[in-house]
Amino acid sequence: MTMTQSWTEQVLASTTDEVKPVVRDRAAIRAGQTMLYPSARLVDEYIRAIPEGECRDIATVRRDLAARRGAFATCLPTLRDRLLAIAEAAFDELDDGALLQEVTPVWRVHVEHSDVLLRRLSFEPAFLLDLRASEHDHPVEIDRQAA
């Protein structure tokens, strides 16, 4: 019998990035160009490096991650899955009493209100949006209880 991994365990276990050539043309990538399928660990490290009070949009994250691994593009569905796991892990850790400074600041990745990622969260997206707004307005003093 296998136990279900927590979100944090899933993030920690996802350590292998894959860069593969695309087999057929897609919206913004041609057959033969390379696509990065990032690990949660790579995405987590990227997010942790975003300075406090700053934010990156999904397009920037995709470009930056692809460049880090020498790929032409980053797979959006894979990135969304990794962001979901990281957001859920952060929420669980905060719920378990972790300090805000101890969790991955996933709120620093700007996700459009209409993005499917926000609908997949097990908690209200306002939690992340409030953290982003609070950090932007008061970078040093964030009360996780108020968020």
Side-chain angles (χ1 to χ4, degrees):
M1 181 164 129
T2 42
M3 299 279 299
T4 303
Q5 286 185 318
S6 71
W7 288 107
T8 300
E9 291 167 335
Q10 288 179 45
V11 170
L12 293 174
S14 174
T15 59
T16 304
D17 306 313
E18 292 186 75
V19 176
K20 300 179 188 178
V22 174
V23 177
R24 60 179 175 237
D25 291 353
R26 296 191 182 185
I29 189 169
R30 299 271 182 223
Q33 291 178 315
T34 53
M35 178 80 75
L36 168 66
Y37 301 87
S39 65
R41 182 76 54 92
L42 176 66
V43 177
D44 185 88
E45 289 169 0
Y46 177 88
I47 294 169
R48 287 179 182 271
I50 300 171
E52 187 174 327
E54 291 186 21
C55 190
R56 302 288 185 276
D57 64 13
I58 294 285
T60 301
V61 174
R62 290 180 72 196
R63 274 192 309 274
D64 290 351
L65 291 175
R68 282 187 182 187
R69 293 299 188 255
F72 182 79
T74 299
C75 178
L76 181 57
T78 302
L79 178 59
R80 276 192 183 118
D81 287 347
R82 302 310 185 237
L83 289 170
L84 175 67
I86 293 165
E88 293 287 356
F91 185 79
D92 288 350
E93 291 165 15
L94 289 169
D95 198 42
D96 289 342
L99 299 175
L100 201 57
Q101 306 88 302
E102 298 172 336
V103 302
T104 303
V106 69
W107 54 90
R108 293 181 187 158
V109 176
H110 177 76
V111 178
E112 294 295 326
H113 293 286
S114 60
D115 196 295
V116 66
L117 172 65
L118 295 181
R119 291 191 302 271
R120 292 176 58 198
L121 293 170
S122 68
F123 56 89
E124 284 297 317
F127 178 75
L128 296 177
L129 302 174
D130 290 348
L131 284 172
R132 182 182 319 132
S134 179
E135 182 176 88
H136 183 71
D137 294 340
H138 308 286
V140 179
E141 303 174 37
I142 298 175
D143 181 4
R144 74 174 181 89
Q145 299 298 327

